[in-house]
Short mmCIF file of all heavy atoms in Angstrom, two decimals:
data_model
loop_
_atom_site.label_atom_id
_atom_site.label_comp_id
_atom_site.label_asym_id
_atom_site.label_seq_id
_atom_site.Cartn_x
_atom_site.Cartn_y
_atom_site.Cartn_z
N GLY A 13 -4.36 10.35 -33.44
CA GLY A 13 -4.06 10.08 -32.03
C GLY A 13 -2.90 9.12 -31.86
O GLY A 13 -2.03 9.32 -31.01
N LEU A 20 4.94 11.22 -28.71
CA LEU A 20 5.17 11.41 -27.28
C LEU A 20 6.01 10.27 -26.69
O LEU A 20 6.88 10.51 -25.84
CB LEU A 20 3.84 11.52 -26.54
CG LEU A 20 3.06 12.81 -26.78
CD1 LEU A 20 1.68 12.73 -26.14
CD2 LEU A 20 3.81 14.01 -26.25
N ILE A 32 14.97 12.13 -10.27
CA ILE A 32 13.54 12.16 -9.95
C ILE A 32 12.78 12.98 -10.99
O ILE A 32 11.73 12.58 -11.47
CB ILE A 32 13.30 12.76 -8.53
CG1 ILE A 32 13.88 11.85 -7.47
CG2 ILE A 32 11.83 13.03 -8.27
CD1 ILE A 32 13.12 10.56 -7.29
N GLN A 53 -10.50 9.33 -29.62
CA GLN A 53 -11.78 8.67 -29.82
C GLN A 53 -12.94 9.61 -29.48
O GLN A 53 -13.97 9.62 -30.13
CB GLN A 53 -11.87 7.41 -28.97
CG GLN A 53 -10.84 6.37 -29.33
CD GLN A 53 -10.93 5.98 -30.80
OE1 GLN A 53 -11.86 5.32 -31.20
NE2 GLN A 53 -9.97 6.43 -31.59
N LEU A 54 -12.75 10.41 -28.46
CA LEU A 54 -13.77 11.38 -28.05
C LEU A 54 -13.96 12.44 -29.13
O LEU A 54 -15.08 12.72 -29.56
CB LEU A 54 -13.35 12.03 -26.73
CG LEU A 54 -14.37 12.94 -26.07
CD1 LEU A 54 -15.52 12.11 -25.51
CD2 LEU A 54 -13.71 13.73 -24.96
N TRP A 61 -21.27 12.99 -30.61
CA TRP A 61 -20.92 14.29 -31.19
C TRP A 61 -21.35 15.47 -30.33
O TRP A 61 -21.45 16.58 -30.82
CB TRP A 61 -21.50 14.44 -32.59
CG TRP A 61 -20.83 13.58 -33.59
CD1 TRP A 61 -21.27 12.35 -34.01
CD2 TRP A 61 -19.61 13.81 -34.27
NE1 TRP A 61 -20.39 11.81 -34.91
CE2 TRP A 61 -19.36 12.70 -35.09
CE3 TRP A 61 -18.69 14.84 -34.26
CZ2 TRP A 61 -18.25 12.60 -35.89
CZ3 TRP A 61 -17.59 14.74 -35.07
CH2 TRP A 61 -17.37 13.64 -35.87
N LEU A 66 -17.19 15.31 -18.00
CA LEU A 66 -16.50 14.37 -17.13
C LEU A 66 -17.53 13.45 -16.50
O LEU A 66 -18.52 13.92 -15.94
CB LEU A 66 -15.73 15.13 -16.05
CG LEU A 66 -14.95 14.30 -15.06
CD1 LEU A 66 -13.77 13.62 -15.75
CD2 LEU A 66 -14.45 15.17 -13.92
N GLY A 83 0.04 4.49 -9.19
CA GLY A 83 0.83 5.47 -8.44
C GLY A 83 1.68 4.82 -7.37
O GLY A 83 2.82 5.22 -7.12
N SER A 102 8.55 0.04 2.05
CA SER A 102 8.40 -0.56 3.38
C SER A 102 6.97 -1.07 3.59
O SER A 102 6.76 -2.20 4.04
CB SER A 102 8.76 0.47 4.45
OG SER A 102 8.49 -0.02 5.73
N PHE A 125 1.19 4.70 -19.40
CA PHE A 125 0.34 4.82 -20.59
C PHE A 125 -1.10 4.43 -20.25
O PHE A 125 -2.04 5.13 -20.60
CB PHE A 125 0.89 3.93 -21.71
CG PHE A 125 0.15 4.06 -23.02
CD1 PHE A 125 0.57 4.99 -23.95
CD2 PHE A 125 -0.96 3.27 -23.31
CE1 PHE A 125 -0.11 5.13 -25.16
CE2 PHE A 125 -1.63 3.41 -24.52
CZ PHE A 125 -1.20 4.34 -25.44
N ALA A 141 -27.41 19.11 -27.77
CA ALA A 141 -28.59 19.59 -27.05
C ALA A 141 -29.71 19.90 -28.05
O ALA A 141 -29.48 20.56 -29.06
CB ALA A 141 -28.24 20.84 -26.26
N THR A 171 -68.77 8.42 -15.45
CA THR A 171 -67.51 8.81 -14.81
C THR A 171 -66.77 9.77 -15.72
O THR A 171 -67.06 9.87 -16.90
CB THR A 171 -66.63 7.59 -14.52
OG1 THR A 171 -65.49 8.04 -13.79
CG2 THR A 171 -66.17 6.90 -15.79
N ARG A 187 -68.21 1.15 -11.51
CA ARG A 187 -69.06 0.91 -10.35
C ARG A 187 -69.01 2.07 -9.45
O ARG A 187 -68.07 2.64 -9.15
CB ARG A 187 -68.55 -0.31 -9.59
CG ARG A 187 -69.35 -1.47 -9.85
CD ARG A 187 -68.93 -2.58 -8.91
NE ARG A 187 -69.48 -3.74 -9.50
CZ ARG A 187 -70.47 -4.43 -8.95
NH1 ARG A 187 -70.91 -4.14 -7.79
NH2 ARG A 187 -70.96 -5.44 -9.58
#
Side-chain angles (χ1 to χ4, degrees):
L20 289 172
I32 294 290
Q53 298 303 289
L54 187 71
W61 289 96
L66 180 68
S102 174
F125 185 91
T171 185
R187 257 189 197 248

